[in-house]
Amino acid sequence: MAGRGPGSAFGKPAALDRRLYRRYDRPLRHRRTQGHFRRQRFNEYRSQSMNPYNDFKVIVKAELEKMSQAGALPPGLDLSRVAVEPPRDAAHGDLATNAALVLAKAAGIKPRGLAEALAARLRGHDDIREVTVAGPGFINLRLNDSYWHGCLAAILRAGASYGESDLGRGRAVNVEYVSANPTGPLTVGHARGAVVGDAMAGILEKAGFAVTREFYINDAGVQVDTLARSAYLRYREALGETIAEIPSGYYPGDYLKHVGKALAARDGDKWLEQGEADWLPEVRRFAIDALMAVVREDLAALGIEQEVFTSERALVEAGGVEAVLETLEARNLVYTGTLPAPKGKAAEDWEPRPQTLFRATDFGDDVDRALKKSDGTWTYFASDMANHLDKSRRGAKLLIDVWGADHGGYVKRMKAAVKALTEGQTRLEVMICQLVKLTRQGVPVKMSKRSGVFVTLREVIDEVGKDIVRFIMLTRKNDAPLDFDLVKVMEQSRDNPVFYVQYAHARVRSVMRHAQTAFPDIDQAPSSLAGGPLDLLTDSSELAIIRLLAQWPRMVESAAETFEPHRIAFYLYDVAAAFHGLWTKGKDHTQLRFLIDGDPKLTAARLALICATAQVVASGLSVIGVQPVEEMR
RNA sequence: GUCCCCGUAGCUCAGUCGGAUAGAGCGACAGAUUCCUAAUCUGUAGGCCGCAGGUUCGAAUCCUGCCGGGGACACCA
């Protein structure tokens, strides 16, 4: 109906996709680990990184290697499944490793026994305060407070770059999103895909990928012909004709009146007496240009700027589909055949018809797919294959498409196509976005592109602001339906995550402002705060926040690896909750307040903590394209 | 009929490439405000993780089959 956009929500990659991704990534990751290892050895006195999970994974693996060398473990064990993670329950410790559990079988040692042996070795480490073996063979590590203080300092010194990783190692990724028919302004339906795609791009950038943001303009189908005819109607109207009613099958929206007027202003009545075949191509081109300008403005209002806009029509005219055909024919993947009738659907008008087909079934699809329509022109699928081949040839070995849920049935064939066209060298990941249910105080707001009374994206942005739109769109997994209530998202309460997170940031800024007057001698530059007496931070709530902040890099990586941008929003909510908790704790226990009269040292340490908190919140918001606020009023 | 997604507390949803006693918000109940923004916070109650098998030392997570909800099923985009 309208490009790929109108759906809205994210999709969790299927199991098969996860496996594909891992295969693609494994050798690289392995190398990365080794690199880490070398660096660690090379620089033994380096204070520490900002990622305890990576640091201690290296340490755990090093101890395992030593155990192998000492004969306590068989040589050549596969350590790839060894993980160091936050324990499910913070009461268990700061870090937990599953090493004993995953190695027990291959080593022929009982998990508990292996765990005890490894634990004994880890007990010698400087930063580790306590090592316990629990459950079936988990090893829980508790770190010295000084380690976390060092972590906090490192976070502050890293500044805006904190959370960046080299997961992507500069590899090119193409993220294609929105990709609507240029037949009208963007609607709320498009907004989710737009936000999800743009946030995904931001996350991948943070994770070290070279990201291209792309928009594929579906300007070659019958819908843009309809657009042209609708615009032509408005053109006649602009020249004085009375159009009583827009016939069904035409786009009725008022926005086309501007197009009609603009065309009349430019060309006068030169198209009035001509036949459709003569005026249509030019009117179409004119209308598409006009509407793409509107679409770009709508995207800009959302804070989205895609650097590549690919026109389907231009791609086809440049011979893109021929390139596809050539590639496929070289591999004998094209033939003429007749597809079976679709089942379960009343297909009275169906008739067997020989078609030009792509052997999609060779690549996991359910049925071979048509490349040509009955009128001899290319199918949308054929030109979309050209689009994907083109993207791949431009260098991206990972392609991400963000589609609406109504295109879910299209995923298999496009993946098959990419596999065939690139001989498995390029991977396609499709993020499916479910519908957004737009309501106002619980009452559904209708949106229908053709009715002319739809709710445009612009209207929603004007009403609630782009930052709220962006954040709310990421508060659900993309493949789950999302409720968007125009009133609720403006509420200032804990159950409104946007507010809650923004408020945490604003509260920090508020304290910092107070500190400026109460403690003018404290230099608030993060690098200065990092040098403060951080060892004064000893309360469990304070250390809990540092641990949470230390998870930011792995949050970025996990969101990138799983293609799940919503994780960022949930993480930020957790950080905000920890901060608000500490704040209120200071109500009951005044010694825990951030600003302590007569104690500039403790105050400086507390400022370092909340400054880092605000920094991570701001960093997270920036990754998903939301502007942090200085105050809420 | 086939394929894809989903099914977790009364409601809305998290659950880190299989791990420990499955978490949060809302709602309910009980509390906290001379003090940096109470726009917040603390606590209590509430679960055969749709059902049944299977793989595994170990399953909400992986596999199979059902049940229930949504979406897609030649030539549209």
Side-chain angles (χ1 to χ4, degrees):
Chain A
M1 176 151 207
R4 299 158 166 164
S8 44
F10 265 69
K12 190 162 79 178
L16 177 66
D17 305 333
R18 287 180 190 274
R19 282 199 296 276
L20 282 171
Y21 186 79
R22 280 204 299 280
R23 200 176 308 146
Y24 168 72
D25 195 52
R26 184 170 294 150
L28 312 168
R29 218 198 245 194
H30 186 54
R31 242 174 286 149
R32 183 165 66 101
T33 306
Q34 288 180 331
H36 249 271
F37 194 64
R38 275 198 303 273
R39 238 176 328 200
Q40 181 79 5
R41 286 228 171 131
F42 220 72
N43 185 5
E44 295 205 54
Y45 299 107
R46 138 194 115 107
S47 55
Q48 66 188 81
S49 83
M50 299 148 286
N51 191 335
Y53 307 97
N54 277 351
D55 287 355
F56 281 90
K57 189 159 79 180
V58 170
I59 289 164
V60 165
K61 287 187 177 181
E63 291 302 335
L64 290 167
E65 297 282 359
K66 286 186 203 163
M67 288 172 76
S68 282
Q69 283 160 22
L73 284 176
L77 280 179
D78 174 17
L79 302 184
S80 61
R81 289 175 62 213
V82 172
V84 174
E85 300 176 323
R88 195 165 281 278
D89 186 340
H92 294 145
D94 296 336
L95 307 173
T97 178
N98 61 354
L101 292 163
V102 297
L103 297 177
K105 189 175 236 178
I109 305 174
K110 288 196 168 155
R112 289 289 301 209
L114 209 168
E116 292 292 355
L118 179 57
R121 289 174 164 273
L122 292 169
R123 279 192 188 100
H125 193 279
D126 280 350
D127 293 322
I128 299 177
R129 169 152 57 101
E130 186 188 337
V131 182
T132 54
V133 176
F138 282 100
I139 300 171
N140 293 321
L141 308 178
R142 206 174 288 281
L143 305 182
N144 290 320
D145 289 356
S146 59
Y147 178 88
W148 293 114
H149 298 143
C151 213
L152 175 58
I155 289 170
L156 286 164
R157 292 202 176 97
S161 72
Y162 177 54
E164 290 176 3
S165 96
D166 64 345
L167 181 71
R169 289 178 23 271
R171 281 172 294 175
V173 181
N174 182 295
V175 187
E176 184 203 310
Y177 51 107
V178 189
S179 298
N181 281 319
T183 54
L186 296 181
T187 68
V188 184
H190 297 105
R192 191 169 186 182
V195 169
V196 160
D198 206 49
M200 192 68 240
I203 290 164
L204 290 167
E205 270 172 349
K206 188 84 174 170
F209 288 86
V211 179
T212 300
R213 293 169 161 86
E214 183 145 348
F215 186 118
Y216 181 58
I217 310 169
N218 300 147
D219 57 0
V222 293
Q223 276 139 19
V224 285
D225 290 345
T226 301
L227 170 73
R229 293 187 189 100
S230 307
Y232 187 72
L233 226 51
R234 296 299 191 182
Y235 163 73
R236 281 163 43 199
E237 187 179 47
L239 290 174
E241 208 169 309
T242 302
I243 308 293
E245 195 182 337
I246 304 295
S248 76
Y250 285 65
Y251 293 113
D254 282 352
Y255 56 87
L256 285 176
K257 288 182 181 173
H258 303 292
V259 179
K261 277 183 197 153
L263 182 61
R266 191 192 71 173
D267 292 350
D269 60 1
K270 71 181 274 196
W271 305 109
L272 222 43
E273 300 304 322
Q274 301 201 28
E276 176 176 300
D278 295 316
W279 58 254
L280 191 130
E282 181 53 24
V283 173
R284 186 175 59 200
R285 201 188 61 75
F286 187 86
I288 288 171
D289 285 351
L291 287 169
M292 275 310 296
V294 171
V295 166
R296 284 182 193 239
E297 280 171 26
D298 289 350
L299 289 169
L302 245 193
I304 291 174
E305 199 177 325
Q306 285 144 295
E307 56 260 31
V308 180
F309 285 74
T310 299
S311 153
E312 177 186 358
R313 183 174 297 275
L315 190 63
V316 171
E317 282 169 3
V321 181
E322 279 78 9
V324 165
L325 217 62
E326 206 174 288
T327 307
L328 294 180
E329 275 171 344
R331 301 183 60 190
N332 193 27
L333 295 173
V334 181
Y335 70 102
T336 302
T338 306
L339 292 174
K343 306 223 163 127
K345 204 184 181 186
E348 315 88 22
D349 57 342
W350 186 87
E351 53 187 64
R353 176 182 297 139
Q355 293 176 289
T356 304
L357 300 171
F358 158 59
R359 292 189 196 278
T361 47
D362 285 4
F363 301 90
D365 202 357
D366 306 314
V367 62
D368 291 340
R369 302 294 179 176
L371 296 171
K372 274 188 183 174
K373 297 186 228 171
S374 48
D375 65 1
T377 60
W378 298 114
T379 59
Y380 176 78
F381 178 53
S383 53
D384 207 11
M385 281 176 98
N387 173 35
H388 284 77
L389 178 60
D390 181 52
K391 288 193 286 186
S392 170
R393 285 185 173 172
R394 278 186 268 136
K397 292 291 169 272
L398 175 58
L399 306 178
I400 296 175
D401 287 356
V402 180
W403 298 346
D406 51 343
H407 290 76
Y410 193 75
V411 174
K412 269 194 187 179
R413 85 181 68 170
M414 203 62 243
K415 285 196 170 192
V418 169
K419 224 179 281 180
L421 288 169
T422 69
E423 304 194 39
Q425 294 305 298
T426 296
R427 172 183 178 209
L428 172 66
E429 185 63 33
V430 181
M431 299 170 75
I432 293 292
C433 292
Q434 271 295 347
L435 287 177
V436 175
K437 274 180 270 182
L438 188 70
T439 56
R440 187 186 298 281
Q441 280 179 316
V443 182
V445 180
K446 293 271 181 214
M447 47 179 168
S448 155
K449 191 161 191 174
R450 290 181 187 264
S451 72
V453 296
F454 53 74
V455 179
T456 62
L457 169 58
R458 184 56 76 91
E459 285 172 303
V460 175
I461 293 173
D462 288 347
E463 182 167 341
V464 306
K466 83 154 172 82
D467 288 328
I468 286 179
V469 172
R470 292 190 71 125
F471 195 97
I472 293 290
M473 290 296 176
L474 297 173
T475 53
R476 287 288 104 99
K477 278 186 288 207
N478 42 299
D479 61 354
L482 172 76
D483 296 317
F484 192 112
D485 191 293
L486 290 164
V487 174
K488 222 176 226 170
V489 300
M490 300 290 278
E491 268 174 22
Q492 301 195 324
S493 70
R494 178 167 188 163
D495 56 325
N496 179 1
V498 202
F499 163 75
Y500 192 68
V501 170
Q502 289 283 32
Y503 184 37
H505 187 269
R507 269 185 152 175
V508 172
R509 304 308 307 162
S510 167
V511 176
M512 299 305 274
R513 285 193 297 271
H514 278 274
Q516 226 147 33
T517 51
F519 294 89
D521 293 339
I522 297 178
D523 181 356
Q524 293 192 5
S527 54
S528 298
L529 292 174
L534 304 183
D535 56 323
L536 298 178
L537 301 172
T538 54
D539 188 79
S540 60
S541 299
E542 295 173 326
L543 291 163
I545 289 182
I546 300 178
R547 285 189 207 102
L548 201 48
L549 299 183
Q551 290 194 42
W552 174 229
R554 66 194 296 280
M555 287 313 306
V556 172
E557 291 193 354
S558 83
E561 284 181 311
T562 57
F563 308 105
E564 292 183 344
H566 73 278
R567 291 185 184 208
I568 304 297
F570 280 91
Y571 170 73
L572 293 177
Y573 186 85
D574 285 345
V575 172
F579 174 75
H580 289 308
L582 178 58
W583 178 290
T584 307
K585 207 170 170 181
K587 295 276 180 195
D588 293 332
H589 310 278
T590 50
Q591 74 276 11
L592 281 178
R593 292 161 58 96
F594 303 126
L595 307 180
I596 306 293
D597 285 343
D599 195 342
K601 282 190 173 173
L602 184 54
T603 298
R606 297 262 163 85
L607 291 183
L609 176 67
I610 65 171
C611 180
T613 303
Q615 183 187 298
V616 169
V617 170
S619 171
L621 289 176
S622 131
V623 161
I624 59 176
V626 176
Q627 186 80 34
V629 299
E630 292 297 308
E631 54 185 339
M632 297 306 293
R633 293 181 210 281

